[in-house]
Amino acid sequence: EPEVTQTPSHQVTQMGQEVILRCVPISNHLYFYWYRQILGQKVEFLVSFYNNEISEKSEIFDDQFSVERPDGSNFTLKIRSTKLEDSAMYFCASSDPLLGSGEAFFGQGTRLTVV
Amino acid sequence: RKEVEQDPGPFNVPEGATVAFNCTYSNSASQSFFWYRQDCRKEPKLLMSVYSSGNEDGRFTAQLNRASQYISLLIRDSKLSDSATYLCVVNKRTSGTYKYIFGTGTRLKVLA
């Protein structure tokens, strides 16, 4: 079964450092997303990406965040200067709403710990 | 008002019990609806899509009422392995893009 894969599974970084979280979405999907989940809280939308550009972003997705699809397969989330409050689980997802029932498929997540 | 609202629980039920979860959504433009399951520190996984006609998958039944903007999930004959957080997810289309909006999740603990 096709799946979304994310690397690394866990990243520890010092405050102020840049991190790049990587994702390989399902190959025939057209829409890509990043979500985050702070421990014990809900899954929050960060950004959606379609046709090589950002479609929508949330208030959380400020100038410190950026996304890129550098080639045909990878989809990355960069946090330029991490803060303690960026510590969370980051999930990548992909979908094609015209396929099946249009559900989103999620990767296993990257646990980011900012110290 | 939150876009997707769920009772966070926890619901503690004995094995074999029937349990029902409810969810309401605020945006009538929402297009598709799902229940996802999330185990502790894992990714959300699709449990089932929800259709207006109602749909069943084994012990799980999902219902959608568009007029009331209400979604439900019924679990019959609960198993210990059903213990998880159940996430109500609404997919909304805006300006040519799609967005999946999550409720807070309802925690279920099935007790032996």
Side-chain angles (χ1 to χ4, degrees), chain A residues 94-113:
Chain A
S94 69
S95 75
D96 185 342
L98 299 180
L99 290 179
S101 57
E103 70 270 29
F105 292 79
F106 287 80
Q108 321 92 300
T110 294
R111 180 168 301 284
L112 176 66
T113 304

Side-chain angles (χ1 to χ4, degrees), chain A residues 96-105, chain B residues 31-34 36 46 48-51 91 100:
Chain A
D96 185 342
L98 299 180
L99 290 179
S101 57
E103 70 270 29
F105 292 79
Chain B
Q31 291 200 293
S32 47
F33 309 88
F34 309 93
Y36 278 73
L46 180 71
M48 58 199 302
S49 305
V50 190
Y51 304 112
N91 187 9
Y100 297 84

Side-chain angles (χ1 to χ4, degrees), chain B residues 48-84:
Chain B
M48 58 199 302
S49 305
V50 190
Y51 304 112
S52 298
S53 52
N55 47 304
E56 190 172 305
D57 183 2
R59 297 181 293 109
F60 299 86
T61 301
Q63 294 273 354
L64 165 65
N65 184 323
R66 283 189 185 268
S68 305
Q69 295 180 198
Y70 172 92
I71 304 159
S72 66
L73 176 69
L74 184 79
I75 306 175
R76 287 181 299 278
D77 188 22
S78 302
K79 312 286 184 201
L80 294 176
S81 56
D82 293 334
S83 298

Side-chain angles (χ1 to χ4, degrees), chain A residues 9-36:
Chain A
S9 55
H10 192 185
Q11 172 103 39
V12 182
T13 189
Q14 291 210 319
M15 199 166 53
Q17 295 296 303
E18 175 183 286
V19 294
I20 298 176
L21 310 184
R22 301 180 193 280
C23 170
V24 180
I26 293 173
S27 61
N28 61 340
H29 282 179
L30 302 176
Y31 296 84
F32 312 113
Y33 311 85
W34 283 100
Y35 287 80
R36 81 168 185 194

Side-chain angles (χ1 to χ4, degrees), chain A residues 25 29-35 45-57 61 66-77 92-97, chain B residues 96-100:
Chain A
H29 282 179
L30 302 176
Y31 296 84
F32 312 113
Y33 311 85
W34 283 100
Y35 287 80
F45 170 78
L46 290 178
V47 66
S48 59
F49 192 87
Y50 170 70
N51 203 25
N52 287 319
E53 60 183 23
I54 289 175
S55 313
E56 186 173 346
K57 57 187 180 179
F61 195 90
S66 61
V67 289
E68 207 175 42
R69 189 156 160 81
D71 53 44
S73 58
N74 292 286
F75 180 50
T76 61
L77 174 69
C92 173
S94 69
S95 75
D96 185 342
Chain B
T97 189
Y98 295 87
K99 181 174 163 183
Y100 297 84

